[in-house]
């Protein structure tokens, strides 16, 4: 395995963790200010406080946000000085959002009685990562150069990944895909593939369709679970550059003929 393939392997592991809560509607709770609003009166960036946010009373530091921000830039193969300031603010917001979602995952998993030990994390690390690098020094250099993270930080993300898989397994224990669901999906695929621009495409087997549908159900169950956690998660943003925008101003309903304007519902 060459160095590029090794880097891609690590990136895939990280991406799997980054995408744990894809589709979360956290922007309804917190939203970044536009770049011009995230500056002081004379246009200079506001000094960042040490604490960026609090989730259920637990602090998230700006140092933590920076770690995720830098590793996410590495995933995108982007250098900070090559992106406009507005995008930097957006990427920092994404990093904060990611940390919040991971905190929610850990808390929610504990409520379900799901945990992962240090020994289990180490086994995952030895199985998924170590065999693909010549030695520890090569791994450390690759992580530092490409993603700006340490081995311990990679292990933390592997732990989050495993927690998510265990949550999905518990939420969907006993879940099945019926023959009727497989038949309906097959019919839908036949219709789509019939007009495929590349010509005739072979349909996946019933077994593969069943697996795909089951995975969709697992992902949907997990997304629903994460949404339920969102509803009871308290988020306080302390960094002005990440503070939530005020909600849209509600206008009064137009007055009816000969009557008074009605208050918005």
């Amino acid at each position: 395995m060459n160095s590029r393939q090794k880097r891609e392997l690590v990136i895939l592991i990280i991406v799997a963790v980054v995408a744990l809560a894809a589709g979360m509607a956290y922007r309804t709770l917190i939203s970044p200010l536009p770049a011009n609003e995230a500056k002081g009166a004379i246009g200079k960036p506001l000094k960042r406080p040490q604490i960026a946010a609090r989730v259920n009373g637990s602090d998230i530091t700006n140092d933590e946000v920076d770690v995720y921000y830098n590793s996410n830039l590495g995933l995108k193969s982007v250098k900070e000085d090559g992106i406009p300031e507005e995008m930097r603010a957006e990427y920092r917001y994404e990093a904060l959002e990611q940390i919040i979602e991971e905190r929610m995952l850990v808390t929610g998993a504990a409520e379900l009685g799901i945990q992962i030990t240090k020994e289990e994390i180490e086994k995952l690390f030895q199985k998924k990562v170590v065999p693909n690098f010549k030695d520890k020094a090569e791994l450390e250099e690759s992580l530092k150069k490409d993603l700006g993270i340490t081995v311990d930080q990679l292990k933390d993300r592997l732990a989050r990944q495993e927690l998510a898989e265990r949550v999905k397994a518990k939420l969907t224990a006993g879940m099945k895909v019926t023959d009727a669901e497989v038949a309906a999906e097959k019919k839908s695929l036949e219709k789509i593939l019939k007009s495929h621009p590349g010509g005739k495409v072979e349909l996946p087997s019933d077994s593969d369709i069943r697996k795909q549908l089951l995975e969709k159900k697992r992902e949907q169950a997990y997304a629903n679970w994460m949404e339920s956690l969102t509803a009871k998660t308290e988020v306080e943003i302390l960094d002005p550059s990440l503070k939530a925008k005020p909600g849209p101003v509600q206008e009064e309903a137009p007055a009816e003929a000969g009557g008074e304007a009605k208050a918005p519902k």
Side-chain angles (χ1 to χ4, degrees), residues 79-213:
K79 293 189 180 296
E80 186 178 37
D81 57 7
I83 56 177
E85 186 176 337
E86 312 84 64
M87 290 190 69
R88 294 181 196 177
E90 178 65 18
Y91 287 157
R92 278 187 60 76
Y93 171 76
E94 288 178 358
L96 174 63
E97 186 179 50
Q98 183 181 339
I99 297 170
I100 292 171
E101 291 171 0
E102 289 187 6
R103 295 272 180 102
M104 286 169 49
L105 167 63
V106 174
T107 301
E111 291 175 354
L112 293 175
I114 300 172
Q115 296 179 330
I116 183 168
T117 66
K118 290 183 178 180
E119 291 74 20
E120 288 173 321
I121 296 170
E122 186 61 33
K123 285 182 180 179
L124 282 171
F125 176 71
Q126 293 294 331
K127 179 180 178 180
K128 292 187 174 184
V129 180
V130 170
N132 302 292
F133 292 85
K134 182 176 62 177
D135 51 32
K136 184 179 179 181
E138 184 184 44
L139 170 59
E140 289 176 341
E141 177 62 25
S142 177
L143 291 176
K144 181 179 179 181
K145 179 181 177 182
D146 295 325
L147 298 171
I149 63 173
T150 65
V151 169
D152 285 342
Q153 288 166 338
L154 175 63
K155 288 180 180 180
D156 284 342
R157 299 195 187 189
L158 280 171
R160 304 291 187 269
Q161 182 187 49
E162 180 62 19
L163 274 180
E165 289 304 314
R166 293 183 183 187
V167 166
K168 289 178 187 178
K170 184 158 189 173
L171 293 175
T172 59
M175 182 177 285
K176 296 181 180 179
V177 175
T178 67
D179 291 343
E181 288 174 316
V182 172
E185 180 69 8
K186 190 171 184 178
K187 185 175 181 179
S188 176
L189 287 173
E190 286 175 341
K191 185 176 179 180
I192 294 171
L193 296 178
K194 188 176 181 180
S195 57
H196 194 279
K200 185 178 179 181
V201 178
E202 187 176 347
L203 278 171
S205 66
D206 286 6
S207 175
D208 286 340
I209 291 175
R210 193 179 299 276
K211 289 178 183 178
Q212 291 168 7
L213 288 176

Side-chain angles (χ1 to χ4, degrees), residues 10-31:
V10 175
I11 286 177
L12 284 173
I13 293 171
I14 301 297
V15 167
V17 180
V18 171
L20 284 177
M24 284 294 295
Y26 235 104
R27 292 179 193 277
T28 61
L29 298 180
I30 55 174
S31 301

Side-chain angles (χ1 to χ4, degrees), residues 6-65:
K6 291 174 183 176
R7 177 179 182 276
E8 289 176 349
L9 168 72
V10 175
I11 286 177
L12 284 173
I13 293 171
I14 301 297
V15 167
V17 180
V18 171
L20 284 177
M24 284 294 295
Y26 235 104
R27 292 179 193 277
T28 61
L29 298 180
I30 55 174
S31 301
L33 289 170
N36 62 334
E37 293 181 45
K39 294 182 179 180
I42 58 176
K44 293 183 178 179
L46 294 168
K47 184 178 180 181
R48 290 176 184 161
Q50 181 180 1
I51 307 302
R54 289 195 180 98
V55 180
N56 293 332
S58 177
D59 291 347
I60 295 175
T61 68
N62 259 313
D63 286 344
E64 291 177 87
V65 175

